[in-house]
Amino acid sequence: MRVGVITFPGTLDDVDAARAVRYADGEAVPLWHGDHDLKGVDAVIVPGGFSYGDYLRCGAIARFAPVMQEVVEAAKKGMPVLGICNGFQILAEAHLLPGALVRNHKLHFVCRDQWLKVENNSTAWTTRYERDAEILVPLKSGEGGYQANEETLRELEGEGRVVFRYVGENPNGSRNDIAGIASANGRVVGLMPHPEHAIDALTGPTDDGLGMFFSLLDSVVKA
C-alpha cells in the first residue's frame, strides 16, 4: 500500500500522517503541492495545518495547487482520499465534499481530546470500526464548524454519509454535531479531529485512530 501525503506551505501534520501510514504497514510517499504527479500511489492523505497561511479562507488557495488538480481527478476515478482538519477544509473547497468549515461558534481555537461516534463503517477509511463505536482522538482547530444548507444536510443524513459525529458537547458549532463526512461512493472522507495523533497510546490519548489507516489497507487489498 503506497499512500501519498501532501505537503503545502504551512502544513504541520504531514510527518504524523506518514507515521500513521507506516504503523499500518504502508509506504508513505511524500507529495509536493507544486507537482502534477501522484507518483502512482494507491491513496492520498491531505493532512492538517495552515496551508498557505490560511490566507483568504482555510483551504481556499490550496484547492488550486497543481497536486490538488491531480487529486481531484484521481478521486473521481475512485482513489481513496482522506482530508484531516485543514485537509477537510481543502476537500470542501475543492468540492470533493459538500459544505464548508467556518470559525468555531465561540470564536476560540479548540485543542482537546474529543470523543467521536462512528456513524458509518462502510467507507474506505472506516471498515475496521464497529458501527456506533466511540473513539477518542485529538481535536485542534479554530475553523472547524461544519456548515451546509438544509438540502445538503438531508442528503448527507439520508444517504448515511455522516461518518463521525461529536459525542457530548459540540466543540465548534457544527451542524448536526457532524465531525466527518464522506463522498457518495464512500471513497473520500474528511474529518476535523486528528486520527493520526491517536495511533499509539504512548504518544496520544488512545490508538483509536489507527483503525482508519488499517481500514485503508483493507480497501486497497480488496481492490
Side-chain angles (χ1 to χ4, degrees):
M1 178 179 72
R2 301 179 75 246
V3 183
V5 180
I6 300 176
T7 299
F8 301 94
T11 296
L12 300 179
D13 299 305
D14 46 349
V15 173
D16 302 87
R19 178 169 173 261
V21 170
R22 292 193 295 271
Y23 264 52
D25 297 323
E27 177 187 354
V29 180
L31 301 178
W32 184 239
H33 70 110
D35 292 340
H36 278 285
D37 185 6
L38 296 185
K39 301 181 180 178
V41 298
D42 302 302
V44 170
I45 296 174
V46 189
F50 303 91
S51 59
Y52 299 99
D54 279 348
Y55 288 112
L56 300 183
R57 188 175 59 249
C58 296
I61 299 176
R63 66 161 291 196
F64 294 107
V67 74
M68 282 305 299
Q69 297 175 36
E70 305 302 321
V71 170
V72 169
E73 291 303 313
K76 290 178 179 178
K77 297 176 183 177
M79 177 179 285
V81 178
L82 176 65
I84 305 170
C85 196
N86 187 228
F88 185 8
Q89 295 162 342
I90 294 169
L91 296 185
E93 291 287 343
H95 305 299
L96 285 176
L97 293 172
L101 286 305
V102 303
R103 287 287 300 275
N104 295 344
H105 64 313
K106 294 183 180 179
L107 305 182
H108 291 294
F109 189 93
V110 174
C111 184
R112 73 188 198 193
D113 296 332
Q114 176 67 49
W115 285 100
L116 305 177
K117 182 179 179 182
V118 179
E119 296 279 353
N120 182 339
N121 67 344
S122 63
T123 78
W125 299 89
T126 56
T127 54
R128 287 288 184 109
Y129 297 112
E130 295 292 329
R131 176 76 186 273
D132 296 328
E134 294 188 2
I135 64 174
L136 182 64
V137 300
L139 172 70
K140 48 171 188 168
S141 56
E143 300 189 29
Y146 181 76
Q147 301 295 317
N149 60 32
E150 294 298 333
E151 180 181 356
T152 299
L153 289 173
R154 285 195 298 269
E155 183 178 279
L156 291 173
E157 297 286 2
E159 296 178 1
R161 290 169 55 191
V162 175
V163 180
F164 297 105
R165 213 180 297 270
Y166 295 115
V167 175
E169 179 188 0
N170 186 320
N172 49 33
S174 291
R175 297 290 301 276
N176 295 14
D177 298 327
I178 290 173
I181 60 173
S183 59
N185 63 3
R187 307 289 282 176
V188 180
V189 169
L191 76 163
M192 287 308 298
H194 287 263
E196 80 281 16
H197 294 324
I199 61 170
D200 189 325
L202 290 175
T203 58
T206 64
D207 61 359
D208 291 346
L210 195 55
M212 295 194 68
F213 303 95
F214 275 115
S215 295
L216 174 65
L217 176 62
D218 294 343
S219 299
V220 170
V221 169
K222 290 178 181 178

